[in-house]
Amino acid sequence: MITKSRGEKFFDVLLYVVLACSVVMIFYPFLHVLSISFSDRGEALRAGFHFYPRSVSLEAYAQILDATSLWRAYGNTLFRMVLGTAAALTVTILAAYPLSKSYFPLKRMFLLLILFTMLFEGGIIPTYLLLKELDILNTRGVYIVLHMANAFHVLVMITFFRSIPRELEEAARIDGASELKTLYRVILPLTIPVVATIGLWNLVAHLNMFMDNLLYVTDRSKFVLQQILQEILIEDRQDSFADIALSEEPPTPESLKMASIIVSITPMLLLYPFMLRYFEKGVMVGSVKG
Amino acid sequence: MLVLRSFWRHKELTAMLLVALVFFGLFRYGPMYGLIIAFKNFNISDGILGSPWAGLEHFRRLIADPNFYRIFRNTLIINLYYVLLVFPAPIVLAVMLNEVRHRWFQRLVQTTTYLPHFISWVIISGLFIYFLSPSAGVVNYIIQWFGGDPIFFMGEAGYFRPVLVVSMLLKETGWNSIIFFAALSAIDPQLYEAATVDGAKRWQRILHITLPSLLPTITIMFILNLGGFMSMNFEQVYNFLNPLNFETGDVFDTYVYRVGLEQFQYSYTAAIGMFRSVIGLALVLLANYAARRLSGGEQGLW
């Protein structure tokens, strides 16, 4: 048994203290947000630390329940999460499968064509004008179509398809299955981990994306959750909460803000355990050269 | 002809690829085509093709525009801060995590520090603004507790870049440490055992085993980071930006959004965007070339 020197012990203590501090730095804001969201007027306005609400009020959540524009935005976000992810996964698989075949003609050229979109982009204004010419500006379709073609996801998918033994596919082909049927029946079931990883990347991106709404959608009924949150949190506007005036004990803007945060991060927190499992793997997959 | 026949033989695969390429063509190459308005005087009624040519007029205007230098300077300075302060943080975290002997504590730190990566910039920025508020913010509460005067962080241009750096550190350090941590777990434990037997102290083991093992990963990540020197996270900057800190915080995309979409100067801001994209492309190519040279052709983005 090697006894630790005084210096080593000091190092150990320092290590654990610094890491514990970083945990607290991230954990405390959550506690604070949760506490303020359940606080009554006086408590929410009190300066200082908030670990738990000293006097509880559910008024902020009552207001949120009635905030129709927030819930409509929630609906729009769920819409883009589901449809956007399904559409992006489809395009990713359709692009990656043919390009993963060594015998596919001109595959290197096609791959370069796709990879180039990672390096160069038209930018905000040309994208705006394109959506305008396609006449889909200011529709929910914007949220879907702009994220369907993702070169990086295609790259990760190709890497994965290539790792599947050829014999499996050949067996299916000899049995007379078409390419599409082989992909659907034989190959896809094997790629569930990578489909889950890329799917979760898409889900999180769609849940948190705010830029495409700000730039290309101005119709309030089509706003996504992050856009409404931006109004509430950053622009400090409470137009989403129409009933404040009717309330006997109106909650403070702070409680409303914090309650909106809690309501909007709940789906992410529910997905988090799954995300941890697949994302950590995904980062490693992504680092494999295509 | 041979190629065509080959496509025909794999017609199902060809059809799949074509469907996908339609989307890449339309939504990735489409905007690139739209960049020609940077060389035109675009107006909505004439459309992209019908608008009259303007040659390099917009690029000449850009060179004479003080706002252009401001956004260019801000982009470079903020990115420099990121390279110096944000880039090393995940390496330090990974090395520290590697020294932790209690598995549960390691997991706890990882699970907590990864979390902010999944929270939107709107919420992260909103929380920063709230916690930094001069009236009720916890940060100013602490400053006052120590006898200082409250600071209006979001109202003073000088605090914009530090706030950006700290928010980026809090949001992404944990997540970015994954790749370094994975590289560390590949180190042969016998190296550490041998060093311990030879009497190496803890910091000596870190200095002579851990860090050298990380060096290839660090080099590649560093070079790839330099390739992104012209880009900025729009959602992060936009949510912290207000007229009081334009001077230190306005960057390419936020300027293009404000002047282009809100003041309808399409052609001029398309020229600014194009300038950014072209320099950005050159940097990525250069970074990739450097990564390949340094690793003897082993590594690179492609």
Side-chain angles (χ1 to χ4, degrees), chain A residues 215-258:
Chain A
L215 299 181
Y216 311 122
V217 179
T218 47
D219 180 352
R220 222 183 135 74
S221 68
K222 290 162 190 152
F223 276 6
V224 296
L225 188 57
Q226 301 301 334
Q227 178 79 28
I228 296 289
L229 275 176
Q230 203 264 350
E231 268 182 25
I232 299 171
L233 293 176
I234 314 249
E235 290 175 19
D236 215 355
R237 282 163 50 190
Q238 266 85 50
D239 351 0
S240 299
F241 307 102
D243 300 339
I244 298 180
L246 302 173
S247 166
E248 277 178 31
E249 263 183 275
T252 58
E254 280 67 32
S255 294
L256 285 173
K257 286 181 185 178
M258 299 307 130

Side-chain angles (χ1 to χ4, degrees), chain A residues 2 4-5 8 11-12 14-16 18-20 22-23 25-30 32-33 36 44 47-49 91 94-95 97-99 101 103-106 110 112-117 119-134 136 145-151 154 173 178-181 183 204 208-211 214-216 226 229-230 233-235 254 258 261 264-265 268-269 272 275-276 279-280 283-284 287 289, chain B residues 3 6-7 10 12-14 16-17 19-21 23-24 26-32 34-35 37 42 44 47-48 93 96-97 99-102 105 107-123 125-127 129-131 135-136 138 141-142 170 175 178-179 182 196 200-203 205-206 234-235 238-239 253 256-257 260-261 265-267 269-270 273-274 276-278 280-281 284-285 292 297-302:
Chain A
I2 305 162
K4 286 184 178 176
S5 72
E8 302 242 318
F11 182 96
D12 255 340
L14 192 72
L15 179 73
Y16 278 76
V18 170
L19 288 178
S22 63
V23 170
M25 285 248 292
I26 291 167
F27 192 70
Y28 173 72
F30 279 92
H32 188 108
V33 167
I36 296 278
F49 292 97
V91 170
L94 287 180
Y97 189 62
L99 295 180
K101 302 277 167 239
Y103 50 78
F104 193 77
L106 300 181
F110 286 121
L112 281 177
L113 215 58
I114 287 176
L115 283 185
F116 184 69
T117 65
L119 310 180
F120 192 77
E121 53 166 18
I124 294 174
I125 303 295
T127 306
Y128 179 85
L129 296 176
L130 172 75
L131 295 172
K132 199 176 176 66
E133 302 234 324
L134 292 174
I136 51 174
V145 294
L146 285 183
H147 307 285
M148 284 170 75
N150 187 316
V154 172
R173 300 284 285 147
S178 67
E179 291 276 9
L180 206 61
K181 203 167 181 180
L183 172 64
V204 174
N208 289 337
M209 183 73 71
F210 145 79
M211 185 182 180
L214 179 78
L215 299 181
Y216 311 122
Q226 301 301 334
L229 275 176
Q230 203 264 350
L233 293 176
I234 314 249
E235 290 175 19
E254 280 67 32
M258 299 307 130
I261 292 179
S264 56
I265 60 170
M268 193 280 295
L269 290 179
Y272 191 53
M275 288 194 289
L276 274 185
F279 269 68
E280 274 185 287
V283 169
M284 301 326 295
S287 64
K289 199 162 61 151
Chain B
V3 172
S6 179
F7 277 129
H10 307 293
E12 275 179 285
L13 291 177
T14 308
M16 283 184 214
L17 184 65
V19 172
L21 285 183
F23 291 96
F24 277 92
L26 206 52
F27 296 105
R28 294 287 175 259
Y29 283 93
M32 291 184 210
L35 274 177
I37 68 157
F42 178 78
I44 294 278
I48 292 175
L93 179 65
M96 289 176 82
L97 279 171
E99 292 298 315
V100 169
R101 287 289 152 261
H102 298 95
F105 188 69
R107 250 351 265 179
L108 172 76
V109 175
Q110 284 175 322
T111 313
T112 331
T113 54
Y114 295 171
L115 188 62
H117 171 79
F118 299 99
I119 295 174
S120 71
W121 271 115
V122 172
I123 293 178
S125 311
L127 283 177
I129 294 169
Y130 170 68
F131 282 112
S135 53
V138 168
Y141 178 80
I142 298 171
L170 260 166
W175 186 249
I178 294 181
I179 193 145
T196 314
K201 296 234 163 39
R202 193 111 164 239
W203 62 270
R205 276 173 294 181
I206 294 177
F234 175 87
E235 300 200 354
Y238 179 82
N239 284 313
D253 280 352
V256 167
Y257 164 66
L261 289 190
Q265 301 194 38
Y266 296 128
S267 282
T269 48
M274 186 166 180
R276 193 204 76 147
S277 293
V278 169
L281 174 65
V284 179
L285 293 177
R292 286 202 149 182
E298 293 273 307
Q299 268 163 317
L301 196 53
W302 59 90

Side-chain angles (χ1 to χ4, degrees), chain B residues 74-224:
Chain B
N74 286 344
T75 305
L76 294 183
I77 293 178
I78 294 170
N79 267 311
L80 188 70
Y81 279 19
Y82 281 0
V83 166
L84 293 177
L85 301 167
V86 177
F87 179 76
I91 304 169
V92 175
L93 179 65
V95 171
M96 289 176 82
L97 279 171
N98 198 47
E99 292 298 315
V100 169
R101 287 289 152 261
H102 298 95
R103 190 75 190 119
W104 66 268
F105 188 69
Q106 204 176 45
R107 250 351 265 179
L108 172 76
V109 175
Q110 284 175 322
T111 313
T112 331
T113 54
Y114 295 171
L115 188 62
H117 171 79
F118 299 99
I119 295 174
S120 71
W121 271 115
V122 172
I123 293 178
I124 300 273
S125 311
L127 283 177
F128 262 81
I129 294 169
Y130 170 68
F131 282 112
L132 292 174
S133 135
S135 53
V138 168
V139 174
N140 273 310
Y141 178 80
I142 298 171
I143 290 175
Q144 280 169 299
W145 193 80
F146 281 107
D149 289 323
I151 301 169
F152 185 16
F153 288 98
M154 299 320 297
E156 281 178 46
Y159 286 109
F160 186 82
R161 291 168 193 156
V163 167
L164 228 52
V165 167
V166 174
S167 63
M168 189 57 104
L169 277 174
L170 260 166
K171 191 171 188 297
E172 304 294 346
T173 302
W175 186 249
N176 290 339
S177 73
I178 294 181
I179 193 145
F180 297 108
F181 189 72
L184 285 178
S185 56
I187 301 175
D188 188 350
Q190 285 184 359
L191 282 175
Y192 288 109
E193 285 159 23
T196 314
V197 171
D198 287 348
K201 296 234 163 39
R202 193 111 164 239
W203 62 270
Q204 287 173 318
R205 276 173 294 181
I206 294 177
L207 207 64
H208 297 292
I209 301 174
T210 313
L211 286 180
S213 318
L214 270 185
L215 208 59
T217 318
I218 295 176
T219 314
I220 296 303
M221 297 304 284
F222 183 74
I223 291 170
L224 294 182

